[in-house]
Amino acid sequence: MSMIEMDKVGKQFKDTWVLQDITMSVEAGSICGLVGRNGSGKTMIMKLIAGMAAPTVGSISVEGKRLGTDTDIPDSLGAIIEVPGFLGNMSGFHNLQYLASLRKQIDDAAIRRTMEQVGLDPNDKKRVGKYSLGMRQRLGIAQAIMEQPRILLLDEPMNGLDNQGVQDIRALMKELRDQGKAILLASHHREDIDQLCDRVYTLDGGRMVS
């Protein structure tokens, strides 16, 4: 089943087209890779799918609902896009607890399980402001997956992780794929793309080249 469909999507800012003629799909139970240099349009594609921006032309459908027509924001989507933002004076657990309170879909036990799943200690009282880049990245991934969304948008999820962290998150992504989730992954690491992705889209200058 196709979970994400983009049909001839373009995005323009003033006189500049940052995306042109983007057509792609992401199936349930698959990991699709987005590759390309910085500024090629990977992050903008994820922002459009997440409803954080609207396309200038073309259409985007998520789980069969057209964004901007049937819905403005996808129903079941988790994302880590650019640098995760958290409250620096609170612990990782309390940050996730606060975010979970906005939708009231999960309890504290689910938050604890998710933190452990990404290699964080839910009982750690350290403030997020004192976290290393790798710990902050793990927390961002926990935030993206904690409510068990059917779709995941992961923009450079391995940033800041050490070798063991990379292996842990790769294993987690394979597990999530096998659970039937649709995952769109942007990564600069060729190994991530080679080991994880069932399909790869290559961007250059805001256009698909393969």
Side-chain angles (χ1 to χ4, degrees), residues 125-203:
K125 305 300 183 187
K126 181 188 295 184
R127 293 182 291 116
V128 169
K130 299 292 187 181
Y131 271 22
S132 66
L133 178 58
M135 290 178 69
R136 185 179 286 266
Q137 195 73 358
R138 288 173 186 262
L139 190 64
I141 295 168
Q143 181 271 323
I145 70 173
M146 67 181 181
E147 294 179 337
Q148 296 293 312
R150 293 183 290 275
I151 298 168
L152 286 168
L153 308 178
L154 302 176
D155 188 10
E156 302 294 343
M158 310 303 182
N159 276 358
L161 298 179
D162 59 17
N163 289 337
Q164 186 58 55
V166 169
Q167 296 304 319
D168 292 344
I169 298 306
R170 283 178 183 163
L172 174 60
M173 290 178 63
K174 290 176 182 177
E175 181 182 331
L176 294 170
R177 176 194 60 196
D178 292 345
Q179 292 172 7
K181 300 187 188 302
I183 302 172
L184 183 61
L185 166 71
S187 178
H188 284 107
H189 300 287
R190 190 73 228 181
E191 282 187 48
D192 292 339
I193 300 302
D194 292 342
Q195 291 188 25
L196 296 172
C197 295
D198 305 291
R199 186 172 185 178
V200 178
Y201 294 97
T202 303
L203 287 164

Coordinates of all heavy atoms in Angstrom, one line a residue, residues 125-203:
K125 N 18.5 12.2 35.1 CA 18.0 13.5 35.5 C 18.7 14.6 34.7 O 18.4 15.8 34.9 CB 18.1 13.8 37.0 CG 17.5 12.7 37.9 CD 16.0 12.6 37.6 CE 15.3 11.6 38.5 NZ 13.9 11.4 38.2
K126 N 19.7 14.3 33.9 CA 20.5 15.3 33.2 C 19.6 16.1 32.4 O 18.7 15.6 31.7 CB 21.6 14.6 32.4 CG 22.5 15.6 31.6 CD 23.4 14.9 30.6 CE 24.4 14.0 31.3 NZ 25.3 13.4 30.3
R127 N 19.8 17.5 32.4 CA 19.0 18.4 31.6 C 19.5 18.2 30.1 O 20.7 18.0 29.8 CB 19.2 19.8 32.0 CG 18.7 20.1 33.4 CD 18.8 21.5 33.8 NE 20.2 21.9 34.1 CZ 20.9 22.7 33.4 NH1 20.4 23.4 32.3 NH2 22.2 23.0 33.7
V128 N 18.5 18.3 29.2 CA 18.8 18.2 27.8 C 19.9 19.2 27.3 O 20.7 18.9 26.4 CB 17.5 18.3 26.9 CG1 17.8 18.4 25.4 CG2 16.7 17.0 27.2
G129 N 19.9 20.3 28.0 CA 20.9 21.3 27.6 C 22.3 20.8 27.8 O 23.3 21.4 27.3
K130 N 22.5 19.8 28.6 CA 23.8 19.2 28.9 C 24.1 18.0 28.1 O 25.1 17.3 28.2 CB 23.9 18.8 30.4 CG 23.8 20.0 31.3 CD 25.0 21.0 31.2 CE 25.0 22.0 32.3 NZ 26.1 23.0 32.2
Y131 N 23.1 17.6 27.2 CA 23.2 16.4 26.4 C 24.3 16.6 25.3 O 24.5 17.7 24.8 CB 21.9 16.1 25.7 CG 20.9 15.2 26.4 CD1 20.9 15.1 27.7 CD2 19.9 14.6 25.7 CE1 20.0 14.3 28.4 CE2 19.0 13.8 26.3 CZ 19.0 13.6 27.7 OH 18.1 12.8 28.3
S132 N 25.0 15.5 25.0 CA 25.9 15.5 23.8 C 25.0 15.6 22.5 O 23.8 15.3 22.6 CB 26.7 14.3 23.8 OG 25.9 13.1 23.6
L133 N 25.6 15.8 21.4 CA 24.9 15.8 20.1 C 24.2 14.5 19.9 O 23.1 14.4 19.4 CB 25.8 16.2 19.0 CG 25.2 16.2 17.6 CD1 24.0 17.2 17.5 CD2 26.2 16.6 16.5
G134 N 25.0 13.4 20.2 CA 24.4 12.1 20.0 C 23.2 11.8 20.8 O 22.3 11.2 20.4
M135 N 23.3 12.2 22.1 CA 22.2 11.9 23.0 C 20.9 12.7 22.5 O 19.8 12.3 22.6 CB 22.5 12.3 24.4 CG 23.5 11.4 25.1 SD 24.0 12.0 26.8 CE 22.4 11.7 27.7
R136 N 21.2 14.0 22.1 CA 20.1 14.8 21.6 C 19.4 14.2 20.4 O 18.2 14.2 20.2 CB 20.6 16.2 21.3 CG 19.5 17.2 20.9 CD 20.1 18.6 20.6 NE 20.5 19.2 21.8 CZ 19.7 20.1 22.5 NH1 18.5 20.3 22.0 NH2 20.1 20.6 23.6
Q137 N 20.3 13.6 19.5 CA 19.8 12.9 18.3 C 18.9 11.7 18.7 O 17.9 11.4 18.1 CB 20.9 12.5 17.4 CG 20.5 12.2 16.0 CD 20.1 13.4 15.2 OE1 20.1 14.5 15.6 NE2 19.8 13.1 13.9
R138 N 19.4 10.9 19.6 CA 18.6 9.8 20.1 C 17.3 10.2 20.6 O 16.3 9.6 20.4 CB 19.4 9.0 21.2 CG 20.6 8.2 20.6 CD 21.4 7.6 21.8 NE 22.6 6.9 21.4 CZ 22.8 5.6 21.2 NH1 21.7 4.8 21.4 NH2 23.9 5.1 20.8
L139 N 17.3 11.3 21.4 CA 16.0 11.8 21.9 C 15.1 12.3 20.8 O 13.9 12.1 20.9 CB 16.3 13.0 22.9 CG 15.1 13.5 23.7 CD1 14.7 12.4 24.7 CD2 15.5 14.7 24.5
G140 N 15.7 12.9 19.8 CA 14.8 13.3 18.6 C 14.2 12.0 17.9 O 13.0 12.1 17.5
I141 N 14.9 11.0 17.8 CA 14.4 9.7 17.2 C 13.3 9.2 18.1 O 12.2 8.7 17.7 CB 15.5 8.7 17.0 CG1 16.5 9.3 15.9 CG2 14.9 7.4 16.5 CD1 17.8 8.5 15.8
A142 N 13.5 9.2 19.5 CA 12.5 8.7 20.4 C 11.2 9.5 20.3 O 10.1 9.0 20.3 CB 13.1 8.8 21.8
Q143 N 11.4 10.8 20.1 CA 10.2 11.7 20.0 C 9.4 11.3 18.7 O 8.2 11.3 18.6 CB 10.6 13.2 19.9 CG 9.5 14.2 19.8 CD 9.2 14.5 18.4 OE1 10.1 14.6 17.5 NE2 7.9 14.6 18.0
A144 N 10.2 11.0 17.6 CA 9.5 10.7 16.3 C 8.8 9.4 16.4 O 7.7 9.3 15.7 CB 10.6 10.7 15.2
I145 N 9.3 8.4 17.1 CA 8.6 7.1 17.1 C 7.7 6.8 18.3 O 7.0 5.8 18.3 CB 9.7 6.0 17.0 CG1 10.5 5.9 18.3 CG2 10.6 6.2 15.8 CD1 11.5 4.7 18.3
M146 N 7.7 7.6 19.3 CA 7.1 7.2 20.6 C 5.6 7.0 20.5 O 5.1 6.2 21.2 CB 7.4 8.2 21.7 CG 6.8 9.6 21.5 SD 7.3 10.7 22.9 CE 6.4 12.1 22.5
E147 N 4.9 7.6 19.6 CA 3.5 7.4 19.4 C 3.1 6.4 18.4 O 2.0 6.3 18.0 CB 2.8 8.8 19.1 CG 2.9 9.8 20.3 CD 2.3 11.1 20.0 OE1 2.2 11.5 18.9 OE2 2.0 11.8 21.0
Q148 N 4.1 5.6 18.0 CA 3.9 4.5 17.0 C 3.2 5.0 15.7 O 2.2 4.4 15.3 CB 3.0 3.4 17.7 CG 3.7 2.7 18.8 CD 4.9 1.9 18.4 OE1 4.8 1.2 17.4 NE2 6.0 2.1 19.1
P149 N 3.8 6.0 15.1 CA 3.2 6.5 13.8 C 3.4 5.5 12.7 O 4.3 4.7 12.7 CB 4.0 7.8 13.5 CG 5.3 7.5 14.2 CD 5.0 6.8 15.4
R150 N 2.5 5.6 11.7 CA 2.6 4.6 10.6 C 3.6 5.1 9.6 O 4.1 4.3 8.7 CB 1.2 4.5 9.9 CG 0.2 3.8 10.8 CD -1.1 3.6 10.1 NE -1.9 4.9 9.9 CZ -2.7 5.4 10.8 NH1 -2.8 4.9 12.0 NH2 -3.3 6.5 10.6
I151 N 4.0 6.4 9.6 CA 4.9 7.0 8.7 C 6.0 7.7 9.4 O 5.7 8.4 10.4 CB 4.2 8.0 7.7 CG1 3.1 7.3 6.9 CG2 5.2 8.7 6.8 CD1 2.2 8.2 6.2
L152 N 7.2 7.6 9.0 CA 8.4 8.2 9.6 C 9.2 9.0 8.6 O 9.5 8.4 7.5 CB 9.3 7.2 10.3 CG 8.8 6.6 11.6 CD1 9.7 5.4 12.0 CD2 8.8 7.7 12.7
L153 N 9.5 10.2 8.9 CA 10.4 11.1 8.1 C 11.6 11.3 8.9 O 11.6 12.0 9.9 CB 9.7 12.4 7.7 CG 8.3 12.3 7.1 CD1 7.8 13.7 6.8 CD2 8.3 11.5 5.8
L154 N 12.7 10.8 8.4 CA 14.0 10.9 9.2 C 15.1 11.6 8.4 O 15.6 11.0 7.4 CB 14.4 9.4 9.6 CG 13.4 8.6 10.4 CD1 13.9 7.2 10.7 CD2 13.1 9.3 11.7
D155 N 15.3 12.8 8.8 CA 16.3 13.6 8.1 C 17.6 13.6 8.8 O 17.8 14.1 9.9 CB 15.8 15.1 8.0 CG 16.6 16.0 7.2 OD1 17.5 15.5 6.4 OD2 16.4 17.2 7.2
E156 N 18.6 12.8 8.2 CA 19.9 12.7 8.8 C 19.8 12.1 10.2 O 20.4 12.7 11.1 CB 20.7 14.0 8.7 CG 20.9 14.5 7.3 CD 21.8 13.6 6.4 OE1 22.5 12.8 6.9 OE2 21.7 13.8 5.2
P157 N 19.2 11.0 10.5 CA 19.0 10.6 11.8 C 20.3 10.1 12.5 O 20.3 9.9 13.7 CB 18.0 9.4 11.7 CG 18.2 8.9 10.3 CD 18.5 10.1 9.5
M158 N 21.3 9.8 11.7 CA 22.6 9.3 12.3 C 23.5 10.4 12.7 O 24.6 10.1 13.3 CB 23.3 8.4 11.3 CG 22.5 7.3 10.7 SD 21.7 6.2 11.9 CE 20.8 5.1 10.8
N159 N 23.2 11.7 12.5 CA 24.0 12.8 12.9 C 24.4 12.7 14.3 O 23.6 12.6 15.2 CB 23.3 14.1 12.6 CG 23.5 14.6 11.1 OD1 24.1 13.9 10.3 ND2 22.9 15.7 10.8
G160 N 25.7 12.8 14.6 CA 26.2 12.9 16.0 C 26.3 11.6 16.7 O 26.8 11.5 17.8
L161 N 25.9 10.5 16.1 CA 25.9 9.2 16.7 C 27.3 8.5 16.5 O 27.9 8.7 15.5 CB 24.9 8.2 16.1 CG 23.4 8.7 16.3 CD1 22.5 7.6 15.6 CD2 23.1 8.8 17.8
D162 N 27.8 7.8 17.6 CA 29.0 7.1 17.4 C 28.7 5.8 16.7 O 27.6 5.5 16.3 CB 29.7 6.8 18.8 CG 28.7 6.0 19.7 OD1 27.8 5.4 19.3 OD2 29.0 6.0 20.9
N163 N 29.8 5.0 16.4 CA 29.6 3.8 15.6 C 28.5 2.8 16.2 O 27.7 2.3 15.5 CB 30.9 3.0 15.5 CG 31.9 3.8 14.6 OD1 31.5 4.6 13.7 ND2 33.2 3.5 14.7
Q164 N 28.5 2.7 17.5 CA 27.5 1.8 18.1 C 26.2 2.4 18.0 O 25.2 1.6 17.7 CB 27.9 1.6 19.6 CG 27.0 0.5 20.3 CD 27.0 -0.8 19.6 OE1 28.0 -1.4 19.5 NE2 25.8 -1.3 19.2
G165 N 26.0 3.7 18.2 CA 24.8 4.3 18.0 C 24.2 4.2 16.6 O 23.0 3.9 16.4
V166 N 25.1 4.3 15.6 CA 24.6 4.1 14.2 C 24.1 2.7 14.0 O 23.1 2.4 13.4 CB 25.8 4.4 13.2 CG1 25.4 3.9 11.8 CG2 26.1 5.9 13.2
Q167 N 24.8 1.7 14.5 CA 24.4 0.3 14.4 C 23.0 0.1 15.1 O 22.2 -0.6 14.6 CB 25.4 -0.7 15.0 CG 26.8 -0.6 14.3 CD 26.6 -0.9 12.8 OE1 25.9 -1.8 12.4 NE2 27.4 -0.2 12.0
D168 N 22.9 0.7 16.3 CA 21.6 0.5 17.1 C 20.5 1.1 16.3 O 19.4 0.5 16.2 CB 21.7 1.3 18.4 CG 22.7 0.6 19.4 OD1 23.1 -0.6 19.1 OD2 23.1 1.3 20.4
I169 N 20.6 2.3 15.7 CA 19.5 3.0 15.0 C 19.2 2.3 13.7 O 18.1 2.2 13.3 CB 19.8 4.5 14.8 CG1 20.0 5.2 16.2 CG2 18.7 5.1 14.0 CD1 18.8 4.9 17.2
R170 N 20.2 1.8 13.0 CA 20.0 1.0 11.8 C 19.1 -0.2 12.1 O 18.2 -0.6 11.4 CB 21.3 0.5 11.2 CG 22.0 1.6 10.4 CD 23.3 1.1 9.8 NE 24.1 2.2 9.1 CZ 25.4 2.1 8.8 NH1 26.0 1.0 9.1 NH2 26.0 3.1 8.2
A171 N 19.5 -0.9 13.2 CA 18.7 -2.1 13.6 C 17.3 -1.7 14.0 O 16.3 -2.4 13.6 CB 19.4 -2.8 14.8
L172 N 17.1 -0.6 14.6 CA 15.8 -0.1 15.0 C 15.0 0.2 13.8 O 13.8 -0.1 13.7 CB 15.9 1.1 15.9 CG 14.6 1.9 16.2 CD1 13.6 0.9 17.0 CD2 14.9 3.1 17.1
M173 N 15.6 0.8 12.8 CA 14.8 1.2 11.6 C 14.4 -0.1 10.8 O 13.3 -0.1 10.3 CB 15.7 2.1 10.7 CG 15.9 3.5 11.3 SD 17.0 4.5 10.2 CE 16.0 4.6 8.7
K174 N 15.2 -1.1 10.8 CA 14.8 -2.3 10.2 C 13.6 -3.0 10.9 O 12.7 -3.5 10.3 CB 16.0 -3.3 10.1 CG 17.1 -2.9 9.2 CD 18.3 -3.9 9.3 CE 19.4 -3.5 8.4 NZ 20.6 -4.3 8.5
E175 N 13.7 -2.9 12.2 CA 12.6 -3.4 13.0 C 11.3 -2.7 12.7 O 10.2 -3.3 12.6 CB 12.9 -3.3 14.5 CG 11.9 -3.8 15.5 CD 12.3 -3.6 16.9 OE1 13.5 -3.6 17.2 OE2 11.4 -3.5 17.8
L176 N 11.4 -1.3 12.6 CA 10.2 -0.5 12.4 C 9.6 -0.8 11.0 O 8.4 -0.9 10.7 CB 10.5 1.0 12.5 CG 10.9 1.4 13.9 CD1 11.4 2.8 13.9 CD2 9.7 1.3 14.8
R177 N 10.5 -1.0 10.0 CA 10.1 -1.4 8.6 C 9.4 -2.7 8.7 O 8.3 -2.8 8.0 CB 11.3 -1.4 7.7 CG 11.0 -1.9 6.3 CD 12.2 -2.3 5.5 NE 12.9 -3.4 6.2 CZ 14.2 -3.8 5.9 NH1 14.9 -3.1 5.0 NH2 14.7 -4.8 6.6
D178 N 9.9 -3.6 9.4 CA 9.3 -5.0 9.4 C 7.9 -4.9 10.2 O 7.1 -5.9 10.0 CB 10.2 -6.0 10.1 CG 11.5 -6.3 9.3 OD1 11.5 -5.9 8.1 OD2 12.4 -6.8 9.9
Q179 N 7.7 -3.9 10.9 CA 6.4 -3.7 11.6 C 5.4 -3.1 10.6 O 4.2 -3.0 11.0 CB 6.5 -2.8 12.8 CG 7.3 -3.4 14.0 CD 7.6 -2.4 15.1 OE1 7.1 -1.3 15.0 NE2 8.3 -2.9 16.1
G180 N 5.8 -2.8 9.4 CA 4.9 -2.2 8.4 C 4.9 -0.7 8.2 O 4.1 -0.2 7.5
K181 N 5.8 -0.1 8.9 CA 5.9 1.4 8.8 C 6.5 1.8 7.4 O 7.3 1.1 6.9 CB 6.7 2.0 9.9 CG 6.0 1.6 11.3 CD 6.7 2.4 12.4 CE 6.1 1.8 13.8 NZ 4.7 2.0 13.9
A182 N 6.1 3.0 7.0 CA 6.7 3.6 5.8 C 7.7 4.6 6.2 O 7.4 5.5 7.0 CB 5.6 4.3 4.9
I183 N 8.9 4.5 5.8 CA 10.0 5.3 6.3 C 10.7 6.0 5.1 O 11.1 5.4 4.1 CB 11.1 4.5 7.1 CG1 10.4 3.8 8.3 CG2 12.2 5.4 7.6 CD1 11.3 2.8 9.0
L184 N 10.8 7.3 5.2 CA 11.6 8.1 4.2 C 12.8 8.6 4.9 O 12.7 9.3 6.0 CB 10.7 9.3 3.7 CG 11.4 10.1 2.6 CD1 11.7 9.3 1.4 CD2 10.5 11.3 2.3
L185 N 13.9 8.2 4.4 CA 15.2 8.5 5.1 C 16.1 9.3 4.2 O 16.4 9.0 3.0 CB 15.9 7.1 5.4 CG 17.4 7.2 5.7 CD1 17.6 7.8 7.1 CD2 18.0 5.8 5.7
A186 N 16.6 10.4 4.7 CA 17.6 11.2 4.1 C 18.9 11.0 4.8 O 19.0 11.2 6.0 CB 17.3 12.7 4.0
S187 N 20.0 10.7 4.1 CA 21.3 10.4 4.8 C 22.4 10.7 3.8 O 22.4 10.5 2.6 CB 21.4 9.0 5.3 OG 22.6 8.7 5.8
H188 N 23.5 11.3 4.4 CA 24.7 11.5 3.7 C 25.6 10.2 3.7 O 26.6 10.1 2.9 CB 25.6 12.6 4.3 CG 25.0 14.0 4.0 ND1 24.4 14.7 4.9 CD2 25.0 14.7 2.8 CE1 24.0 15.9 4.3 NE2 24.4 15.9 3.1
H189 N 25.2 9.2 4.5 CA 26.1 8.0 4.7 C 25.6 7.0 3.7 O 24.5 6.5 3.7 CB 25.9 7.5 6.1 CG 26.4 8.5 7.1 ND1 27.7 8.8 7.3 CD2 25.7 9.2 8.0 CE1 27.8 9.7 8.3 NE2 26.6 10.0 8.7
R190 N 26.5 6.7 2.7 CA 26.2 5.7 1.7 C 25.8 4.3 2.3 O 25.0 3.6 1.8 CB 27.4 5.5 0.8 CG 27.1 4.7 -0.5 CD 26.2 5.5 -1.4 NE 25.1 4.8 -1.9 CZ 24.2 5.2 -2.8 NH1 24.3 6.5 -3.2 NH2 23.2 4.5 -3.2
E191 N 26.5 4.0 3.5 CA 26.2 2.7 4.1 C 24.7 2.6 4.6 O 24.1 1.6 4.5 CB 27.1 2.4 5.3 CG 28.5 2.0 4.8 CD 29.3 1.6 6.0 OE1 28.8 0.8 6.9 OE2 30.5 2.0 6.1
D192 N 24.2 3.8 5.1 CA 22.8 3.8 5.5 C 21.9 3.5 4.3 O 21.0 2.6 4.4 CB 22.4 5.2 6.0 CG 23.1 5.5 7.3 OD1 23.6 4.6 8.0 OD2 23.2 6.7 7.7
I193 N 22.2 4.1 3.2 CA 21.4 3.9 2.0 C 21.5 2.5 1.5 O 20.5 1.8 1.2 CB 21.8 4.9 0.9 CG1 21.6 6.4 1.4 CG2 21.0 4.7 -0.3 CD1 20.2 6.7 1.9
D194 N 22.7 2.0 1.4 CA 22.9 0.6 0.9 C 22.3 -0.5 1.8 O 21.8 -1.4 1.3 CB 24.4 0.4 0.7 CG 25.0 1.2 -0.4 OD1 24.3 1.7 -1.2 OD2 26.3 1.4 -0.4
Q195 N 22.5 -0.3 3.1 CA 22.0 -1.3 4.0 C 20.5 -1.3 4.3 O 19.9 -2.3 4.6 CB 22.8 -1.2 5.4 CG 24.2 -1.6 5.3 CD 24.9 -1.6 6.6 OE1 24.3 -1.9 7.7 NE2 26.2 -1.4 6.7
L196 N 19.9 -0.1 4.2 CA 18.6 0.1 4.7 C 17.5 0.2 3.7 O 16.3 -0.2 3.9 CB 18.5 1.3 5.7 CG 19.3 1.2 7.0 CD1 19.3 2.6 7.6 CD2 18.7 0.2 7.9
C197 N 17.8 0.8 2.5 CA 16.8 1.3 1.6 C 16.3 0.3 0.6 O 17.2 -0.4 0.0 CB 17.2 2.6 1.0 SG 17.5 3.9 2.1
D198 N 15.0 0.2 0.4 CA 14.4 -0.7 -0.6 C 14.4 0.0 -1.9 O 14.3 -0.6 -3.0 CB 13.0 -1.1 -0.2 CG 13.0 -1.8 1.2 OD1 13.5 -2.9 1.3 OD2 12.5 -1.2 2.2
R199 N 14.4 1.4 -1.8 CA 14.3 2.2 -3.0 C 15.0 3.5 -2.7 O 15.0 4.0 -1.6 CB 12.8 2.5 -3.4 CG 12.6 3.2 -4.7 CD 11.2 3.3 -5.1 NE 11.0 3.9 -6.4 CZ 9.8 4.0 -7.0 NH1 8.7 3.5 -6.4 NH2 9.7 4.6 -8.2
V200 N 15.7 4.1 -3.7 CA 16.4 5.3 -3.5 C 16.1 6.3 -4.6 O 16.0 6.0 -5.8 CB 18.0 5.0 -3.6 CG1 18.7 6.3 -3.4 CG2 18.4 4.0 -2.5
Y201 N 15.8 7.6 -4.1 CA 15.6 8.7 -5.0 C 16.7 9.7 -4.9 O 17.1 10.0 -3.8 CB 14.3 9.4 -4.7 CG 13.0 8.6 -4.9 CD1 12.4 7.9 -3.8 CD2 12.4 8.6 -6.1 CE1 11.3 7.2 -4.0 CE2 11.3 7.8 -6.3 CZ 10.7 7.2 -5.3 OH 9.5 6.4 -5.4
T202 N 17.3 10.1 -6.0 CA 18.4 11.0 -6.0 C 18.0 12.4 -6.5 O 17.3 12.5 -7.5 CB 19.6 10.4 -6.9 OG1 19.9 9.1 -6.5 CG2 20.8 11.4 -6.9
L203 N 18.4 13.4 -5.7 CA 18.0 14.7 -6.1 C 19.3 15.5 -6.5 O 20.4 15.4 -5.9 CB 17.4 15.4 -4.8 CG 16.0 15.0 -4.4 CD1 15.7 15.5 -3.0 CD2 15.0 15.6 -5.4

